[in-house]
Amino acid sequence: MKKIAKQTYIALAGLSVLMGTVSASAGPEEDRLKLVAHFKNKFPDLKFDDYIYSALAFDPDAKAQYNSIMEFPPYTSELDKGAKLWKTPLKSGKTYADCLPNGGKMIAGNYPIFDDAKGKVVTLEDTINDCRVANGEEAYQIGDDKTLGLISAYMRTLSDGMKMNIKVEGAGALKAYEDGKRTFYGRVGQLNFSCGNCHVDNAGVRIRSELLSPVIGQATHWPAFRGGDKLTTLQERYKGCQYDVRHTPDKPGSTRYNNLEYFHSYLSNGLEMKASVFRK
Amino acid sequence: MRKRASIITGVIATLLASSAYAVETGKDIAFNRSKGNCLACHSMPTLPDAEQPGESGPPLIAMLARFPDRAVLRAKIWDATATNSGSFMPPMGKHQVLTEAEIDKVVDFLYGL
């Protein structure tokens, strides 16, 4: 009898561990699928793959303009600068390509990752900096458009066509994801908006003459070159959004922004990356 | 010298009192992007110069029929989330986007739509 009780206990314990694992990994995917269904219901004619075009997907005229601009992008010389930085050997004699998995190609869609050893979210920019430090250079400032921004802009083009594939595995990763989710859905600023108010509830709706983009697909195309050749990273865009709702923005690279980027990027899983692109 | 300074101060004060601040109408406040910015979300179908309105909020029309009680309309502007927690509308009074006097002017303006 005692033995049966013990076995039952072990079985129950095993079941709860299993369930714990299932719910931990099902949370983010449930969130993502719920949003995909929300948009599918709201915009039945819009194909899933078209979400990479963000607001342009809702506006054929703007999309046609975008297509013609992208034939001869106005930011090519900026990308060339990024390519030069990318190819310049570091102090150790190694290059970024030597330092990163797969020579840095077709990997950008895996980032941000949650690094269990560091206990935090690591962005692609962080990884480039880690590479620098490991090879005798100083880390660049996160948010420095002239260095890290240009390198990441070029490097992400090496992953064009890769499907976003963010992974949230383990308790630490889930905690960071949930923190990003709280930031996304929390109403802030004098104007009292959450990211979700605009980019979930009002996606596809015009605010004055501007169409609000849906959250799905947003993370696939950064940095964007806005208005021609002004490099804007995803986290700089977060700053812009927080400024617009009259909230105090963070500096790029803050824990809050990194966790937000982690959550936000997860929601674009399954969509193709296209860097770098023109946005007005 | 002191007398002249006080005259100048007086003149400036009078000018300020009679300039933009004093004559800012409810419509000015509603249209101003850094104040009411109502057009970001609401159309005003009876106003030809309410161009390129947003579409997130309901059109602002027939306000007297829809809000016979002035206090209800004013409260909506002051903090729409008080009666509808899911409302996207910024709490204009609660978060001091507008002053109490500015809200009163906007309410007057809305009843003319």
Side-chain angles (χ1 to χ4, degrees), chain A residues 52-259:
Chain A
I52 64 170
Y53 298 111
S54 289
L56 298 169
F58 298 91
D59 188 340
D61 285 347
K63 178 73 191 335
Q65 280 178 32
Y66 165 82
N67 286 343
S68 65
I69 289 169
M70 290 297 283
E71 282 176 27
F72 299 101
Y75 51 80
T76 313
S77 62
E78 293 299 297
L79 273 189
D80 289 345
K81 286 183 208 164
K84 204 174 159 193
L85 287 169
W86 168 259
K87 286 167 189 160
T88 306
L90 302 163
K91 269 194 184 140
S92 69
K94 288 191 173 176
T95 62
Y96 294 104
D98 298 328
C99 179
L100 291 162
N102 201 35
K105 291 176 188 165
M106 303 307 266
I107 62 165
N110 297 326
Y111 291 87
I113 58 167
F114 187 84
D115 186 325
D116 283 311
K118 290 181 178 170
K120 63 176 185 180
V121 166
V122 172
T123 63
L124 188 69
E125 286 76 7
D126 291 332
T127 305
I128 293 170
N129 263 341
D130 287 348
C131 207
R132 291 181 59 76
V133 174
N135 287 283
E137 302 274 355
E138 278 188 22
Y140 286 134
Q141 286 284 317
I142 301 287
D144 182 352
D145 292 348
K146 299 280 171 231
T147 58
L148 193 53
L150 286 173
I151 293 179
S152 76
Y154 174 74
M155 186 197 160
R156 283 175 197 271
T157 64
L158 304 176
S159 298
D160 278 358
M162 178 185 180
K163 287 188 174 168
M164 295 275 289
N165 185 30
I166 310 298
K167 292 199 168 67
V168 181
E169 290 168 348
L174 190 61
K175 206 174 155 197
Y177 171 92
E178 291 292 343
D179 184 62
K181 185 176 169 180
R182 265 194 302 280
T183 300
F184 185 84
Y185 287 109
R187 294 183 77 152
V188 293
Q190 191 184 33
L191 299 185
N192 201 38
F193 287 118
S194 73
C195 309
N197 284 158
C198 287
H199 300 291
V200 176
D201 305 313
N202 278 295
V205 169
R206 281 183 196 276
I207 292 296
R208 229 38 220 257
S209 55
E210 298 299 318
L211 269 162
L212 290 169
S213 58
V215 61
I216 287 175
Q218 278 178 339
T220 59
H221 58 262
W222 298 88
F225 287 92
R226 303 192 77 192
D229 59 2
K230 169 77 183 78
L231 188 145
T232 308
T233 64
L234 182 54
Q235 294 204 1
E236 276 162 0
R237 191 67 193 87
Y238 294 164
K239 270 175 70 178
C241 276
Q242 291 197 319
Y243 180 81
D244 285 345
V245 304
R246 302 183 189 168
H247 188 48
T248 310
D250 289 357
K251 277 188 182 159
S254 73
T255 303
R256 179 164 64 163
Y257 277 4
N258 284 356
N259 290 350

Side-chain angles (χ1 to χ4, degrees), chain B residues 60-83:
Chain B
L60 300 175
I61 193 167
M63 300 307 279
L64 195 57
R66 290 163 59 200
F67 293 94
D69 185 348
R70 183 185 170 96
V72 173
L73 177 58
R74 194 182 191 283
K76 278 269 177 207
I77 297 166
W78 201 86
D79 178 16
T81 64
T83 46

